[in-house]
Short mmCIF file of all heavy atoms in Angstrom, two decimals:
data_model
loop_
_atom_site.label_atom_id
_atom_site.label_comp_id
_atom_site.label_asym_id
_atom_site.label_seq_id
_atom_site.Cartn_x
_atom_site.Cartn_y
_atom_site.Cartn_z
N MET A 20 0.82 -1.21 0.00
CA MET A 20 0.00 0.00 0.00
C MET A 20 0.86 1.26 0.00
O MET A 20 1.90 1.31 0.63
CB MET A 20 -0.91 0.02 1.24
CG MET A 20 -2.22 -0.73 1.01
SD MET A 20 -3.30 -0.63 2.46
CE MET A 20 -3.74 1.10 2.37
N VAL A 21 0.42 2.25 -0.68
CA VAL A 21 1.13 3.51 -0.72
C VAL A 21 0.48 4.47 0.27
O VAL A 21 -0.75 4.57 0.34
CB VAL A 21 1.07 4.12 -2.14
CG1 VAL A 21 1.87 5.41 -2.19
CG2 VAL A 21 1.58 3.13 -3.17
N ASP A 22 1.34 5.12 1.05
CA ASP A 22 0.80 6.08 2.02
C ASP A 22 0.50 7.41 1.34
O ASP A 22 1.39 8.22 1.10
CB ASP A 22 1.80 6.30 3.16
CG ASP A 22 1.75 5.15 4.16
OD1 ASP A 22 0.90 4.26 3.99
OD2 ASP A 22 2.55 5.15 5.09
N ILE A 23 -0.74 7.61 1.03
CA ILE A 23 -1.17 8.88 0.45
C ILE A 23 -2.02 9.61 1.49
O ILE A 23 -2.99 9.06 2.00
CB ILE A 23 -2.00 8.66 -0.83
CG1 ILE A 23 -1.18 7.88 -1.85
CG2 ILE A 23 -2.47 10.00 -1.39
CD1 ILE A 23 -1.97 7.45 -3.07
N ILE A 24 -1.61 10.82 1.80
CA ILE A 24 -2.36 11.59 2.80
C ILE A 24 -3.60 12.16 2.14
O ILE A 24 -3.53 12.86 1.13
CB ILE A 24 -1.49 12.72 3.40
CG1 ILE A 24 -0.29 12.10 4.12
CG2 ILE A 24 -2.33 13.58 4.35
CD1 ILE A 24 0.73 13.13 4.58
N GLN A 25 -4.73 11.81 2.73
CA GLN A 25 -6.00 12.32 2.22
C GLN A 25 -6.80 12.93 3.35
O GLN A 25 -6.65 12.55 4.50
CB GLN A 25 -6.79 11.18 1.58
CG GLN A 25 -6.14 10.65 0.32
CD GLN A 25 -6.96 9.52 -0.28
OE1 GLN A 25 -6.85 8.38 0.11
NE2 GLN A 25 -7.80 9.86 -1.23
N ARG A 26 -7.65 13.87 3.02
CA ARG A 26 -8.47 14.51 4.05
C ARG A 26 -9.79 13.77 4.21
O ARG A 26 -10.55 13.61 3.26
CB ARG A 26 -8.73 15.97 3.68
CG ARG A 26 -9.64 16.63 4.71
CD ARG A 26 -9.35 18.11 4.86
NE ARG A 26 -7.96 18.37 5.17
CZ ARG A 26 -7.38 19.57 5.08
NH1 ARG A 26 -8.06 20.60 4.68
NH2 ARG A 26 -6.12 19.73 5.38
N CYS A 27 -10.01 13.33 5.43
CA CYS A 27 -11.26 12.64 5.76
C CYS A 27 -12.42 13.62 5.68
O CYS A 27 -12.34 14.72 6.23
CB CYS A 27 -11.14 12.03 7.16
SG CYS A 27 -12.67 11.34 7.76
N ILE A 28 -13.49 13.22 4.99
CA ILE A 28 -14.63 14.13 4.85
C ILE A 28 -15.48 14.17 6.11
O ILE A 28 -16.32 15.04 6.27
CB ILE A 28 -15.52 13.75 3.65
CG1 ILE A 28 -16.12 12.36 3.86
CG2 ILE A 28 -14.76 13.86 2.34
CD1 ILE A 28 -17.57 12.31 3.47
N VAL A 29 -15.25 13.21 7.01
CA VAL A 29 -16.06 13.16 8.23
C VAL A 29 -15.44 14.02 9.34
O VAL A 29 -16.06 14.90 9.89
CB VAL A 29 -16.25 11.72 8.73
CG1 VAL A 29 -17.06 11.69 10.02
CG2 VAL A 29 -16.95 10.89 7.66
N CYS A 30 -14.14 13.76 9.65
CA CYS A 30 -13.50 14.49 10.75
C CYS A 30 -12.62 15.62 10.26
O CYS A 30 -12.20 16.48 11.04
CB CYS A 30 -12.71 13.52 11.63
SG CYS A 30 -11.32 12.74 10.80
N GLY A 31 -12.31 15.64 8.95
CA GLY A 31 -11.51 16.72 8.40
C GLY A 31 -10.02 16.60 8.66
O GLY A 31 -9.25 17.51 8.37
N GLU A 32 -9.61 15.44 9.22
CA GLU A 32 -8.19 15.24 9.51
C GLU A 32 -7.48 14.67 8.28
O GLU A 32 -8.09 13.98 7.45
CB GLU A 32 -8.04 14.24 10.67
CG GLU A 32 -8.63 14.72 11.97
CD GLU A 32 -7.80 15.82 12.61
OE1 GLU A 32 -6.56 15.78 12.47
OE2 GLU A 32 -8.38 16.70 13.24
N ASP A 33 -6.20 14.96 8.17
CA ASP A 33 -5.39 14.37 7.10
C ASP A 33 -4.88 13.02 7.57
O ASP A 33 -4.16 12.92 8.57
CB ASP A 33 -4.21 15.28 6.77
CG ASP A 33 -4.67 16.56 6.08
OD1 ASP A 33 -5.71 16.51 5.40
OD2 ASP A 33 -4.00 17.57 6.22
N ARG A 34 -5.22 11.97 6.85
CA ARG A 34 -4.83 10.63 7.27
C ARG A 34 -4.40 9.80 6.06
O ARG A 34 -4.68 10.13 4.93
CB ARG A 34 -6.01 9.93 7.97
CG ARG A 34 -6.51 10.67 9.19
CD ARG A 34 -7.33 9.74 10.05
NE ARG A 34 -8.11 10.45 11.05
CZ ARG A 34 -7.71 10.63 12.30
NH1 ARG A 34 -6.57 10.14 12.72
NH2 ARG A 34 -8.49 11.26 13.15
N THR A 35 -3.70 8.70 6.40
CA THR A 35 -3.22 7.83 5.33
C THR A 35 -4.00 6.52 5.27
O THR A 35 -3.97 5.84 4.25
CB THR A 35 -1.73 7.50 5.54
OG1 THR A 35 -1.55 6.95 6.84
CG2 THR A 35 -0.87 8.75 5.39
N VAL A 36 -4.68 6.17 6.37
CA VAL A 36 -5.40 4.90 6.40
C VAL A 36 -6.90 5.15 6.40
O VAL A 36 -7.41 5.87 7.25
CB VAL A 36 -5.02 4.07 7.66
CG1 VAL A 36 -5.72 2.72 7.63
CG2 VAL A 36 -3.52 3.90 7.73
N GLY A 37 -7.57 4.55 5.44
CA GLY A 37 -9.01 4.73 5.37
C GLY A 37 -9.57 4.14 4.10
O GLY A 37 -8.89 3.41 3.38
N ILE A 38 -10.81 4.45 3.81
CA ILE A 38 -11.45 3.94 2.60
C ILE A 38 -11.93 5.10 1.75
O ILE A 38 -12.19 6.19 2.27
CB ILE A 38 -12.65 3.03 2.94
CG1 ILE A 38 -13.67 3.76 3.83
CG2 ILE A 38 -12.18 1.75 3.59
CD1 ILE A 38 -15.02 3.08 3.87
N ALA A 39 -12.04 4.83 0.46
CA ALA A 39 -12.55 5.86 -0.44
C ALA A 39 -13.89 5.43 -0.99
O ALA A 39 -14.05 4.31 -1.48
CB ALA A 39 -11.56 6.09 -1.58
N ILE A 40 -14.87 6.32 -0.85
CA ILE A 40 -16.19 6.05 -1.39
C ILE A 40 -16.50 7.15 -2.40
O ILE A 40 -16.51 8.33 -2.04
CB ILE A 40 -17.27 6.03 -0.29
CG1 ILE A 40 -16.95 4.95 0.75
CG2 ILE A 40 -18.65 5.80 -0.90
CD1 ILE A 40 -17.87 4.96 1.96
N CYS A 41 -16.74 6.76 -3.64
CA CYS A 41 -17.04 7.74 -4.68
C CYS A 41 -15.97 8.85 -4.70
O CYS A 41 -16.30 10.04 -4.75
CB CYS A 41 -18.43 8.34 -4.48
SG CYS A 41 -19.72 7.12 -4.57
N GLU A 42 -14.71 8.43 -4.60
CA GLU A 42 -13.57 9.35 -4.64
C GLU A 42 -13.49 10.25 -3.42
O GLU A 42 -12.69 11.18 -3.39
CB GLU A 42 -13.59 10.19 -5.92
CG GLU A 42 -13.45 9.30 -7.16
CD GLU A 42 -13.57 10.10 -8.45
OE1 GLU A 42 -13.69 11.33 -8.38
OE2 GLU A 42 -13.53 9.49 -9.52
N GLN A 43 -14.32 10.02 -2.42
CA GLN A 43 -14.23 10.78 -1.17
C GLN A 43 -13.62 9.86 -0.11
O GLN A 43 -13.96 8.69 -0.04
CB GLN A 43 -15.62 11.25 -0.72
CG GLN A 43 -16.31 12.13 -1.75
CD GLN A 43 -15.52 13.37 -2.11
OE1 GLN A 43 -14.97 14.02 -1.24
NE2 GLN A 43 -15.45 13.67 -3.39
N PHE A 44 -12.75 10.44 0.70
CA PHE A 44 -11.99 9.65 1.66
C PHE A 44 -12.60 9.69 3.06
O PHE A 44 -12.98 10.74 3.56
CB PHE A 44 -10.56 10.17 1.71
CG PHE A 44 -9.66 9.42 2.67
CD1 PHE A 44 -9.17 8.17 2.34
CD2 PHE A 44 -9.32 9.99 3.88
CE1 PHE A 44 -8.33 7.49 3.22
CE2 PHE A 44 -8.48 9.31 4.76
CZ PHE A 44 -7.99 8.07 4.43
N ILE A 45 -12.71 8.51 3.65
CA ILE A 45 -13.15 8.41 5.05
C ILE A 45 -12.08 7.63 5.79
O ILE A 45 -11.72 6.52 5.40
CB ILE A 45 -14.50 7.68 5.17
CG1 ILE A 45 -15.60 8.46 4.44
CG2 ILE A 45 -14.87 7.49 6.64
CD1 ILE A 45 -16.94 7.74 4.41
N CYS A 46 -11.51 8.24 6.86
CA CYS A 46 -10.42 7.58 7.57
C CYS A 46 -10.93 6.36 8.35
O CYS A 46 -12.11 6.24 8.64
CB CYS A 46 -9.71 8.56 8.50
SG CYS A 46 -10.66 9.06 9.94
N GLN A 47 -9.99 5.49 8.69
CA GLN A 47 -10.35 4.24 9.34
C GLN A 47 -11.07 4.44 10.68
O GLN A 47 -12.07 3.78 10.93
CB GLN A 47 -9.11 3.36 9.51
CG GLN A 47 -9.46 1.93 9.82
CD GLN A 47 -8.22 1.05 9.89
OE1 GLN A 47 -7.32 1.27 10.69
NE2 GLN A 47 -8.15 0.06 9.04
N PRO A 48 -10.58 5.34 11.54
CA PRO A 48 -11.30 5.57 12.80
C PRO A 48 -12.75 5.98 12.58
O PRO A 48 -13.65 5.50 13.27
CB PRO A 48 -10.51 6.69 13.48
CG PRO A 48 -9.14 6.58 12.91
CD PRO A 48 -9.32 6.12 11.49
N CYS A 49 -12.98 6.87 11.61
CA CYS A 49 -14.34 7.31 11.33
C CYS A 49 -15.18 6.18 10.74
O CYS A 49 -16.36 6.03 11.06
CB CYS A 49 -14.34 8.50 10.36
SG CYS A 49 -13.82 10.03 11.13
N GLU A 50 -14.56 5.40 9.88
CA GLU A 50 -15.28 4.30 9.25
C GLU A 50 -15.72 3.29 10.30
O GLU A 50 -16.87 2.84 10.31
CB GLU A 50 -14.37 3.62 8.22
CG GLU A 50 -15.11 2.65 7.33
CD GLU A 50 -14.44 1.29 7.28
OE1 GLU A 50 -13.23 1.21 7.44
OE2 GLU A 50 -15.17 0.31 7.10
N GLN A 51 -14.81 2.99 11.24
CA GLN A 51 -15.15 2.03 12.29
C GLN A 51 -16.19 2.62 13.23
O GLN A 51 -17.07 1.91 13.73
CB GLN A 51 -13.88 1.64 13.05
CG GLN A 51 -12.99 0.75 12.21
CD GLN A 51 -11.67 0.40 12.89
OE1 GLN A 51 -11.32 0.96 13.92
NE2 GLN A 51 -10.95 -0.54 12.30
N GLU A 52 -16.10 3.92 13.45
CA GLU A 52 -17.07 4.60 14.30
C GLU A 52 -18.45 4.52 13.67
O GLU A 52 -19.45 4.26 14.34
CB GLU A 52 -16.65 6.07 14.45
CG GLU A 52 -17.47 6.84 15.46
CD GLU A 52 -16.87 6.76 16.86
OE1 GLU A 52 -15.76 6.24 17.00
OE2 GLU A 52 -17.53 7.22 17.79
N MET A 53 -18.50 4.71 12.36
CA MET A 53 -19.77 4.67 11.65
C MET A 53 -20.38 3.29 11.68
O MET A 53 -21.59 3.13 11.83
CB MET A 53 -19.57 5.11 10.20
CG MET A 53 -19.33 6.60 10.07
SD MET A 53 -18.96 7.07 8.38
CE MET A 53 -20.58 7.01 7.65
N VAL A 54 -19.51 2.28 11.54
CA VAL A 54 -19.99 0.91 11.51
C VAL A 54 -20.64 0.53 12.84
O VAL A 54 -21.66 -0.15 12.88
CB VAL A 54 -18.83 -0.07 11.19
CG1 VAL A 54 -19.24 -1.51 11.44
CG2 VAL A 54 -18.39 0.12 9.74
N LYS A 55 -20.05 1.00 13.93
CA LYS A 55 -20.58 0.60 15.24
C LYS A 55 -21.61 1.58 15.79
O LYS A 55 -22.20 1.33 16.85
CB LYS A 55 -19.42 0.43 16.24
CG LYS A 55 -18.78 1.74 16.66
CD LYS A 55 -17.62 1.47 17.62
CE LYS A 55 -17.01 2.77 18.11
NZ LYS A 55 -15.74 2.54 18.84
N THR A 56 -21.82 2.68 15.08
CA THR A 56 -22.80 3.65 15.55
C THR A 56 -24.22 3.18 15.26
O THR A 56 -24.55 2.83 14.15
CB THR A 56 -22.58 5.03 14.88
OG1 THR A 56 -21.28 5.49 15.22
CG2 THR A 56 -23.60 6.04 15.35
N ASP A 57 -25.02 3.17 16.30
CA ASP A 57 -26.41 2.76 16.15
C ASP A 57 -27.22 3.87 15.50
O ASP A 57 -26.88 5.05 15.62
CB ASP A 57 -26.98 2.44 17.54
CG ASP A 57 -28.32 1.74 17.43
OD1 ASP A 57 -28.32 0.51 17.34
OD2 ASP A 57 -29.35 2.44 17.43
N VAL A 58 -28.28 3.48 14.81
CA VAL A 58 -29.13 4.46 14.13
C VAL A 58 -29.71 5.46 15.13
O VAL A 58 -29.97 6.61 14.81
CB VAL A 58 -30.27 3.75 13.37
CG1 VAL A 58 -31.06 4.76 12.54
CG2 VAL A 58 -29.71 2.67 12.46
N LEU A 59 -29.89 5.00 16.36
CA LEU A 59 -30.49 5.85 17.39
C LEU A 59 -29.45 6.71 18.10
O LEU A 59 -29.79 7.57 18.90
CB LEU A 59 -31.24 4.99 18.42
CG LEU A 59 -32.41 4.18 17.83
CD1 LEU A 59 -33.01 3.28 18.90
CD2 LEU A 59 -33.48 5.10 17.25
N ASP A 60 -28.17 6.46 17.81
CA ASP A 60 -27.11 7.23 18.44
C ASP A 60 -27.17 8.69 17.99
O ASP A 60 -27.48 8.98 16.84
CB ASP A 60 -25.75 6.60 18.07
CG ASP A 60 -24.63 7.12 18.96
OD1 ASP A 60 -24.27 8.31 18.82
OD2 ASP A 60 -24.13 6.34 19.76
N GLU A 61 -26.85 9.59 18.89
CA GLU A 61 -26.90 11.01 18.55
C GLU A 61 -25.87 11.40 17.50
O GLU A 61 -25.98 12.43 16.83
CB GLU A 61 -26.72 11.88 19.79
CG GLU A 61 -25.40 11.64 20.50
CD GLU A 61 -25.25 12.52 21.76
OE1 GLU A 61 -26.25 13.13 22.18
OE2 GLU A 61 -24.14 12.56 22.30
N LYS A 62 -24.84 10.55 17.34
CA LYS A 62 -23.81 10.84 16.33
C LYS A 62 -24.28 10.48 14.92
O LYS A 62 -23.73 10.94 13.94
CB LYS A 62 -22.55 10.00 16.62
CG LYS A 62 -21.65 10.60 17.68
CD LYS A 62 -20.39 9.75 17.75
CE LYS A 62 -19.59 10.05 19.00
NZ LYS A 62 -18.56 9.01 19.21
N TYR A 63 -25.28 9.63 14.85
CA TYR A 63 -25.70 9.10 13.55
C TYR A 63 -26.10 10.19 12.55
O TYR A 63 -25.65 10.16 11.40
CB TYR A 63 -26.82 8.08 13.74
CG TYR A 63 -26.99 7.17 12.55
CD1 TYR A 63 -26.09 6.12 12.32
CD2 TYR A 63 -28.02 7.37 11.63
CE1 TYR A 63 -26.24 5.29 11.22
CE2 TYR A 63 -28.17 6.54 10.53
CZ TYR A 63 -27.28 5.50 10.33
OH TYR A 63 -27.43 4.70 9.24
N PRO A 64 -26.93 11.14 12.96
CA PRO A 64 -27.29 12.23 12.03
C PRO A 64 -26.07 12.97 11.51
O PRO A 64 -26.06 13.42 10.36
CB PRO A 64 -28.17 13.16 12.88
CG PRO A 64 -28.72 12.27 13.94
CD PRO A 64 -27.62 11.29 14.24
N PHE A 65 -25.04 13.09 12.34
CA PHE A 65 -23.81 13.77 11.92
C PHE A 65 -23.14 12.99 10.79
O PHE A 65 -22.73 13.56 9.78
CB PHE A 65 -22.86 13.90 13.12
CG PHE A 65 -21.47 14.35 12.74
CD1 PHE A 65 -21.22 15.68 12.41
CD2 PHE A 65 -20.43 13.45 12.72
CE1 PHE A 65 -19.94 16.08 12.05
CE2 PHE A 65 -19.15 13.84 12.37
CZ PHE A 65 -18.90 15.16 12.03
N PHE A 66 -23.06 11.68 10.96
CA PHE A 66 -22.44 10.86 9.93
C PHE A 66 -23.24 10.92 8.63
O PHE A 66 -22.68 11.02 7.54
CB PHE A 66 -22.33 9.41 10.39
CG PHE A 66 -21.25 9.20 11.42
CD1 PHE A 66 -21.50 8.50 12.59
CD2 PHE A 66 -19.97 9.69 11.21
CE1 PHE A 66 -20.50 8.30 13.53
CE2 PHE A 66 -18.97 9.50 12.15
CZ PHE A 66 -19.24 8.80 13.31
N ILE A 67 -24.55 10.88 8.76
CA ILE A 67 -25.40 10.94 7.58
C ILE A 67 -25.20 12.25 6.84
O ILE A 67 -25.10 12.29 5.62
CB ILE A 67 -26.89 10.79 7.98
CG1 ILE A 67 -27.14 9.39 8.55
CG2 ILE A 67 -27.80 11.05 6.78
CD1 ILE A 67 -26.88 8.26 7.58
N ARG A 68 -25.08 13.33 7.62
CA ARG A 68 -24.88 14.65 7.01
C ARG A 68 -23.56 14.70 6.25
O ARG A 68 -23.47 15.23 5.15
CB ARG A 68 -24.91 15.72 8.10
CG ARG A 68 -25.16 17.12 7.56
CD ARG A 68 -25.64 18.06 8.65
NE ARG A 68 -24.70 18.17 9.75
CZ ARG A 68 -24.99 17.95 11.02
NH1 ARG A 68 -26.21 17.59 11.35
NH2 ARG A 68 -24.09 18.07 11.94
N GLN A 69 -22.51 14.13 6.88
CA GLN A 69 -21.20 14.11 6.23
C GLN A 69 -21.24 13.24 4.97
O GLN A 69 -20.66 13.59 3.95
CB GLN A 69 -20.14 13.58 7.19
CG GLN A 69 -19.95 14.43 8.43
CD GLN A 69 -19.56 15.86 8.08
OE1 GLN A 69 -20.41 16.73 8.03
NE2 GLN A 69 -18.30 16.10 7.83
N MET A 70 -21.94 12.11 5.08
CA MET A 70 -22.03 11.20 3.95
C MET A 70 -22.78 11.85 2.78
O MET A 70 -22.46 11.62 1.62
CB MET A 70 -22.76 9.91 4.36
CG MET A 70 -21.96 9.04 5.30
SD MET A 70 -20.48 8.35 4.54
CE MET A 70 -21.19 7.06 3.52
N LYS A 71 -23.77 12.67 3.11
CA LYS A 71 -24.54 13.34 2.05
C LYS A 71 -23.66 14.24 1.21
O LYS A 71 -23.95 14.47 0.04
CB LYS A 71 -25.69 14.15 2.68
CG LYS A 71 -26.91 13.31 2.93
CD LYS A 71 -28.05 14.14 3.46
CE LYS A 71 -29.28 13.27 3.72
NZ LYS A 71 -30.30 13.98 4.51
N GLN A 72 -22.59 14.76 1.81
CA GLN A 72 -21.66 15.61 1.05
C GLN A 72 -21.07 14.82 -0.11
O GLN A 72 -20.76 15.38 -1.16
CB GLN A 72 -20.53 16.09 1.95
CG GLN A 72 -20.98 17.10 2.97
CD GLN A 72 -19.81 17.59 3.82
OE1 GLN A 72 -18.69 17.68 3.33
NE2 GLN A 72 -20.07 17.88 5.07
N ILE A 73 -20.88 13.53 0.11
CA ILE A 73 -20.32 12.68 -0.95
C ILE A 73 -21.27 12.69 -2.14
O ILE A 73 -20.87 12.90 -3.28
CB ILE A 73 -20.13 11.24 -0.46
CG1 ILE A 73 -19.08 11.20 0.65
CG2 ILE A 73 -19.73 10.33 -1.62
CD1 ILE A 73 -18.90 9.82 1.28
N TRP A 74 -22.54 12.47 -1.87
CA TRP A 74 -23.51 12.38 -2.96
C TRP A 74 -23.67 13.74 -3.63
O TRP A 74 -23.87 13.84 -4.83
CB TRP A 74 -24.84 11.85 -2.45
CG TRP A 74 -24.68 10.61 -1.63
CD1 TRP A 74 -25.09 10.41 -0.36
CD2 TRP A 74 -24.02 9.38 -2.02
NE1 TRP A 74 -24.73 9.15 0.07
CE2 TRP A 74 -24.09 8.50 -0.91
CE3 TRP A 74 -23.40 8.95 -3.21
CZ2 TRP A 74 -23.55 7.21 -0.95
CZ3 TRP A 74 -22.85 7.65 -3.23
CH2 TRP A 74 -22.93 6.81 -2.13
N LEU A 75 -23.62 14.81 -2.83
CA LEU A 75 -23.77 16.14 -3.40
C LEU A 75 -22.61 16.44 -4.34
O LEU A 75 -22.78 16.97 -5.43
CB LEU A 75 -23.83 17.19 -2.29
CG LEU A 75 -25.13 17.18 -1.46
CD1 LEU A 75 -25.02 18.14 -0.30
CD2 LEU A 75 -26.33 17.52 -2.33
N LYS A 76 -21.38 16.07 -3.89
CA LYS A 76 -20.21 16.31 -4.73
C LYS A 76 -20.26 15.46 -5.99
O LYS A 76 -19.83 15.87 -7.03
CB LYS A 76 -18.94 15.97 -3.94
CG LYS A 76 -18.56 17.08 -2.97
CD LYS A 76 -17.34 16.67 -2.17
CE LYS A 76 -17.02 17.71 -1.09
NZ LYS A 76 -16.02 17.23 -0.16
N LYS A 77 -20.79 14.24 -5.82
CA LYS A 77 -20.85 13.32 -6.94
C LYS A 77 -21.75 13.87 -8.04
O LYS A 77 -21.48 13.72 -9.22
CB LYS A 77 -21.38 11.97 -6.44
CG LYS A 77 -21.18 10.84 -7.42
CD LYS A 77 -21.87 9.58 -6.91
CE LYS A 77 -21.87 8.50 -7.97
NZ LYS A 77 -22.84 7.44 -7.65
N ASP A 78 -22.85 14.48 -7.64
CA ASP A 78 -23.82 15.01 -8.61
C ASP A 78 -23.33 16.31 -9.24
O ASP A 78 -23.80 16.70 -10.30
CB ASP A 78 -25.16 15.25 -7.93
CG ASP A 78 -25.81 13.92 -7.55
OD1 ASP A 78 -25.41 12.91 -8.13
OD2 ASP A 78 -26.71 13.92 -6.71
N ALA A 79 -22.43 17.00 -8.54
CA ALA A 79 -21.99 18.31 -9.03
C ALA A 79 -21.19 18.17 -10.32
O ALA A 79 -20.51 17.20 -10.54
CB ALA A 79 -21.15 19.02 -7.98
ZN1 ZN B 2 -12.11 10.81 9.88
#
């Protein structure tokens, strides 16, 4: 793997480990946080809002 620093769209931090969805980067800590976050968790709407940015950028 090549260490490429990318900005996480969820936390805004520059990181090298994470996943890319539709050319948008989500760091590993955020990805794992999202996976374990329950729909009823207060953080969930935040993740959804951040994720929506991906779709908005994709359509642009
Ligand atoms: Zn992040």
Side-chain angles (χ1 to χ4, degrees):
M20 274 183 70
V21 183
D22 282 355
I23 301 172
I24 298 172
Q25 293 180 275
R26 177 149 305 166
C27 172
I28 63 137
V29 179
C30 64
E32 297 287 326
D33 290 332
R34 301 198 195 263
T35 55
V36 183
I38 56 164
I40 300 174
C41 299
E42 297 176 3
Q43 301 302 317
F44 180 76
I45 298 175
C46 71
Q47 196 176 59
C49 286
E50 191 232 331
Q51 288 176 350
E52 188 90 8
M53 287 175 77
V54 168
K55 72 181 183 191
T56 299
D57 192 88
V58 186
L59 298 176
D60 194 290
E61 59 181 11
K62 278 186 194 166
Y63 199 77
F65 169 75
F66 286 132
I67 294 298
R68 198 161 59 234
Q69 298 302 97
M70 290 294 284
K71 275 183 180 167
Q72 290 182 33
I73 295 176
W74 310 123
L75 289 174
K76 281 177 185 170
K77 194 186 171 196
D78 291 341

